[in-house]
Amino acid sequence: GACRTLILLNIHHIVCDVTSLAVVADELGTIYGSLLRGEESRLTAAPALSFAAYAEEEAQRRETPEFASRLKEAAKEIGRIDKRAALPADFHDADVRTFAGDTVRREISPEVYKRLKRTAGKAGASMYSLFLSLVNVLLMRKSGVTKVVTGAPVLGRSRPGLENAVGCFVNVAPVFCEADPDAGFEALLK
């Protein structure tokens, strides 16, 4: 009868970002297809820069005066955030601390999505920026402050030669948001 093969990859996100996962899946598909056809597999060229070399370059970059200056500026900006602001869930009375979490899913109707898309378009913003702004407004309203900082994941494959490299190239960048309580949401998007 027919033979069925299942390959299960269990890779932690700290080891492999989504682009790397695509590289691994493509290479596995190429190798598997070649084996099925009885051919020698022809993989794409090895990355020009390995993850280890990239990590070494990053470590060296973080020792530069330019990086130290940017870090100092970000720390100064974070220092301006009102530390007295507290969200309702910041203080939990549980005797035993847990890190239990949950995923909450909500569906947005096509009509609401279209309105959101129109709002983002008018402001020249992406949908990501729109939703990040919504999160920032929620944080501001719940905490009673007008300035917040959130972390946004950014892809760290900023130089040529990393297209086929496998690793975690994701960084988290601080996003500072200050809003005038009297201005509308569209003003925040701009």
Side-chain angles (χ1 to χ4, degrees):
C3 179
R4 183 173 176 208
T5 303
L6 175 68
I7 298 175
L8 172 68
L9 292 177
N10 185 3
I11 304 173
H12 195 278
H13 64 90
I14 201 164
V15 176
C16 187
D17 62 22
V18 70
T19 304
S20 297
L21 193 55
V23 170
V24 170
D26 286 347
E27 290 190 357
L28 279 174
T30 299
I31 293 168
Y32 187 67
S34 296
L35 289 172
L36 286 177
R37 293 185 300 277
E39 301 170 357
E40 186 178 326
S41 64
R42 302 256 187 248
L43 294 176
T44 57
L49 189 67
S50 70
F51 184 78
Y54 164 80
E56 180 61 34
E57 276 187 9
E58 277 294 295
Q60 290 173 3
R61 185 181 68 80
R62 290 171 188 235
E63 298 297 322
T64 64
E66 179 191 359
F67 185 82
S69 173
R70 291 176 65 198
L71 192 60
K72 187 176 178 180
E73 281 301 312
K76 189 187 314 179
E77 195 66 28
I78 290 171
R80 293 185 186 127
I81 302 294
D82 188 349
K83 308 290 186 295
R84 296 168 298 160
L87 295 172
D90 276 353
F91 304 100
H92 193 340
D93 293 17
D95 293 333
V96 179
R97 186 175 183 182
T98 72
F99 296 95
D102 198 3
T103 299
V104 178
R105 297 181 189 271
R106 297 288 184 263
E107 220 174 281
I108 297 174
S109 72
E111 297 79 29
V112 169
Y113 177 78
K114 286 177 188 172
R115 288 197 332 246
L116 291 171
K117 188 109 172 128
R118 236 185 344 264
T119 300
K122 277 196 246 176
S126 67
M127 290 298 283
Y128 177 82
S129 294
L130 179 128
F131 282 106
L132 182 58
S133 295
L134 288 171
V135 167
N136 287 335
V137 166
L138 175 69
L139 290 172
M140 288 180 215
R141 285 190 176 175
K142 292 291 183 183
S143 65
V145 299
T146 58
K147 188 173 188 177
V148 295
V149 61
T150 52
V154 293
L155 192 56
R157 293 174 190 260
S158 56
R159 69 183 298 285
L162 295 173
E163 297 84 1
N164 294 331
V166 173
C168 185
F169 294 89
V170 177
N171 292 314
V172 177
V175 178
F176 300 95
C177 182
E178 188 168 10
D180 176 355
D182 299 324
F185 180 73
E186 288 78 9
L188 178 67
L189 271 177
K190 294 178 182 182

